[in-house]
Amino acid sequence: MNSIYTFVSGPLVWISFILFIGGSLYRLISMARLARKKDIIVYEYTSLYYALRSILHWIVPFGSANMRKHPWMTFVAFAFHLCLLIVPIFLFAHIVLVKESWDVSWPYISDGLADILALIVIASCIFFLARRLTVPEAKYLTSLSDYVILAIVAAPFLTGFWTHHQWFGYKVMGILHILSGQVMLVAIPFTRLSHMIFFPFTRGYMGSEFGAIRHAHDW
Amino acid sequence: MPAPATTSAEKTEVKTIVDPGIERGIENLTPEKTTQIIKSVLDSEAGARFKTYIDICVHCGLCSEGCHYFLSHDGNPLFSPAGKVKQTIWEIVKNKARVTPDFLRQAAEIAYTECNLCRRCAMYCPFGIDIAYLIMMMRRICHKLGVTPQNIQDTAHSHSATYNQMWVKEDEWIDSLHWQEDEARDEIPDLRIPIEKEGADIFYSVIGPEPKFRTQLIYKAAVIMNAAGMNWTMPATPGWDNSDMCMFTGDHEMMGRLKKIHFDTAMRLKSKRIVMGECGHAFRSVYDVGNRWLGWKMPPIPVIHAVEFYHELFQQGRIKVATKFEPPVTFQDPCNIVRGRGLHEIARDVVRTTCETFIEMEPNREHNYCCCAGGGVINCGPSYKIKRIQGDRIKADQLKAVMEKGARVVVAPCHNCHGGLEDILHHYGIDMKIKFLSDIIYEVMEKPAQK
């Protein structure tokens, strides 16, 4: 058990971060080069002002007409994405690990708050699952991979919550927690989770087309 | 959300439309040829946008709200924007371009007759995925395969043979202009439609259907130009037609030739700028699609749409309103000049200047519902008419609502909107009239003869 733990919390961490960061950079650079070759208009028409204008409208809750049409989805989607970022970065237990290794640290949130935020992520995943199963337009588009991706995202939070509360088999769960977190990191550049890295570009490009060329709003 | 009205299987069953253009195209293909052609299009034309759009779509279905077909079919997911991409482009990507004739038949019908490329869904997708671009890619593939609906292909052939959409011969074109000049001289004796005048301020271009069956619009434009004292001209040669069905069949090469001759003709006449008639798709083609194909970041000569031109005339006091148009009007925002050029506010200015009472449709401006005729859909012919009308029931609801508020006339500065709305009003029994802005301006303006 200890050797497995040492492996997943040592070399695997390095591997997963290298794959996450290197993979993201690779995706971005190769896409930028492909765009230079085949979609030169993306460079020609992108306007920083209109790109940011569009992005701003879409990262502010209820900033677009469609968000107001789906208030529950909007509420859950924003809560989900916020908590998804806050918990792993500002969790005390994570910061301690970094401090022990590199003597670097930053402010943390209380464990109680982290519990609540983690539960919000898990509940949001259940909401997304239910939505995929019941809302016809989402159900029609859903394939197996969508469930797998949802599971990849939910797993680190489920296992982390479990481990933190030291429930039955929490040592195994701790290892699964680290593993699932690594799987998620590696999945970001290579699956639909890559919307994390590409969102600013697709939204920004559409915002530029709508704003600079078509003189219209896109929200 | 109610359960979908039809399942995929039922939808296939009700597909009774047999399009000779699509059928003949499919007959000429072999599986190898199909795959090879699709691959060549994807290899040479589908780049970073295509790849990113396919890679990041999280299948959330939030774009659905953007689509009038989806809303009109009680939320049937087969008509949602992403649903249509799933039935076309995703299949091609998933199967690595190995597709069956049945797939092609359905994909062509979806791409050409179940999407108006109105780009409303781009404002509903949280990621800003350009779904119309993906559907257009499907059309491009269909064009390369030779699998296109017969009627719209006929207009594309007309473009190739005559440089205009309606098989109008050169002498017929000149004759139509003379005829309208003659007619208008009854009303305004010194009126001219100056043909081939060099160095005019304005090169006025229209779409093929104007000389063919809406000739009165050329008459009215001439009256407005004369009343405003504009220095204008229309060409005698091909290049007078600014329309572009090739853009919608996926024939980009021909689209480029059409835009080139249009720009070239305006430049040959040393005109200062192009003013286009009240057409939406032509504006899209000249302003942000065709010019790009030719490598012009923006059109090589200033281009404005009729709405901008009329607004300018009122701003500068070149034409005056004698008596405002009385029946209460509402305004149909055409996708290609509103989502495509942001003319919604100035169009309203012109409407308010010329009409007594103006009542808004809901939703409006960028969020207005499409007429369901644009994007080449109406040009796919009468076999798809019912489908087009059923696919825009939501438009009928929107029009009924504005009629209940008192509106009697819909002002629509776009030819396709006219075609689409006429069918919708008629089919759903809505008692409203449709007018172009030039119809209204012609009716209410001070005419030189009356001064």
Side-chain angles (χ1 to χ4, degrees), chain A residues 27 30-36 38-46 54 58 64-70 73-74 77 81 131-132 134-143 145-146 149 189 191-199 201-207 209-210 212-219, chain B residues 1-4 8 42-66 70 75 77-78 80 82-84 86-87 90 119-120 122-131 133 287-288 291-292 296-298 337-344 366-367 369:
Chain A
R27 290 298 313 274
S30 61
M31 205 58 95
R33 291 174 70 173
L34 184 61
R36 176 66 70 191
K38 282 174 151 185
D39 296 80
I40 192 74
I41 67 165
V42 173
Y43 290 92
E44 288 298 322
Y45 293 99
T46 294
S54 176
W58 284 90
S64 74
N66 203 17
M67 290 187 208
R68 296 190 285 275
K69 284 197 180 290
H70 298 96
M73 179 63 181
T74 305
H81 282 96
R131 193 175 170 277
R132 284 209 181 281
T134 58
V135 174
E137 63 266 31
K139 190 175 171 186
Y140 177 66
L141 298 173
T142 300
S143 55
S145 60
D146 294 294
I149 287 171
T191 66
R192 284 194 274 288
L193 296 179
S194 59
H195 68 263
M196 175 179 151
I197 47 179
F198 288 119
F199 166 80
F201 298 96
T202 53
R203 188 78 259 167
Y205 170 65
M206 191 45 76
E209 284 274 12
F210 265 77
I213 311 298
R214 304 181 190 151
H215 307 277
H217 296 160
D218 66 332
W219 55 84
Chain B
M1 190 60 72
S8 191
L42 294 182
D43 286 347
S44 60
E45 295 178 31
R49 278 183 296 166
F50 183 85
K51 195 166 163 40
T52 310
Y53 293 156
I54 302 286
D55 283 358
I56 68 168
C57 173
V58 290
H59 308 172
C60 66
L62 285 172
C63 53
S64 310
E65 196 68 52
F70 174 82
L78 295 170
S80 81
K84 287 178 260 189
K86 179 184 160 104
Q87 295 168 83
W90 288 1
R119 301 190 282 211
R120 189 172 186 262
M123 309 178 356
Y124 284 74
C125 168
F127 300 165
I129 294 177
D130 192 349
I131 301 159
Y133 163 85
Y287 180 74
D288 89 1
N291 57 312
R292 293 182 186 190
W296 290 100
K297 187 172 173 182
M298 292 310 272
I337 62 164
V338 170
R339 274 191 287 287
R341 183 57 185 81
L343 299 184
H344 40 282
E366 288 101 328
H367 289 275
Y369 297 127

Side-chain angles (χ1 to χ4, degrees), chain B residues 73 78 175 297 330 332 356:
Chain B
H73 285 283
L78 295 170
D175 201 45
K297 187 172 173 182
T330 186
Q332 155 77 1
E356 286 285 355

Side-chain angles (χ1 to χ4, degrees), chain A residues 10 12 14 17 19 23 28 45 52 61 66 70 73 78 82 89 112 121-122 130 132 136 153 157 159 162 183 198 206:
Chain A
L12 266 191
W14 282 104
F17 269 94
L19 283 175
L28 275 176
Y45 293 99
L52 291 175
N66 203 17
H70 298 96
M73 179 63 181
F78 273 92
L82 269 179
I89 298 174
V121 172
I122 294 163
R132 284 209 181 281
V153 176
F157 292 86
T159 53
W162 190 293
V183 167
F198 288 119
M206 191 45 76

Side-chain angles (χ1 to χ4, degrees), chain A residues 3-169:
Chain A
S3 60
I4 298 176
Y5 179 81
T6 318
F7 179 65
V8 295
S9 64
L12 266 191
V13 174
W14 282 104
I15 292 170
S16 60
F17 269 94
I18 288 167
L19 283 175
F20 165 56
I21 295 168
S24 298
L25 284 175
Y26 166 76
R27 290 298 313 274
L28 275 176
I29 293 167
S30 61
M31 205 58 95
R33 291 174 70 173
L34 184 61
R36 176 66 70 191
K37 210 169 120 198
K38 282 174 151 185
D39 296 80
I40 192 74
I41 67 165
V42 173
Y43 290 92
E44 288 298 322
Y45 293 99
T46 294
S47 131
L48 186 63
Y49 171 78
Y50 288 112
L52 291 175
R53 185 180 80 159
S54 176
I55 291 168
L56 186 71
H57 274 91
W58 284 90
I59 59 167
V60 171
F62 301 99
S64 74
N66 203 17
M67 290 187 208
R68 296 190 285 275
K69 284 197 180 290
H70 298 96
W72 278 108
M73 179 63 181
T74 305
F75 178 73
V76 174
F78 273 92
F80 165 79
H81 282 96
L82 269 179
C83 298
L84 183 78
L85 292 173
I86 292 171
V87 175
I89 298 174
F90 297 104
L91 187 78
F92 182 68
H94 287 178
I95 296 172
V96 164
L97 289 174
V98 177
K99 177 141 176 89
E100 279 175 358
S101 304
W102 294 323
D103 200 25
V104 186
S105 69
W106 53 88
Y108 56 88
I109 55 174
S110 75
D111 282 358
L113 180 61
D115 265 357
I116 296 169
L117 300 188
L119 285 176
I120 290 175
V121 172
I122 294 163
S124 305
C125 288
I126 295 169
F127 174 88
F128 293 144
L129 177 67
R131 193 175 170 277
R132 284 209 181 281
L133 292 170
T134 58
V135 174
E137 63 266 31
K139 190 175 171 186
Y140 177 66
L141 298 173
T142 300
S143 55
L144 178 65
S145 60
D146 294 294
Y147 295 118
V148 173
I149 287 171
L150 203 51
I152 288 176
V153 176
F157 292 86
L158 263 174
T159 53
F161 191 82
W162 190 293
T163 309
H164 174 66
H165 290 276
Q166 307 209 339
W167 291 343
F168 169 73

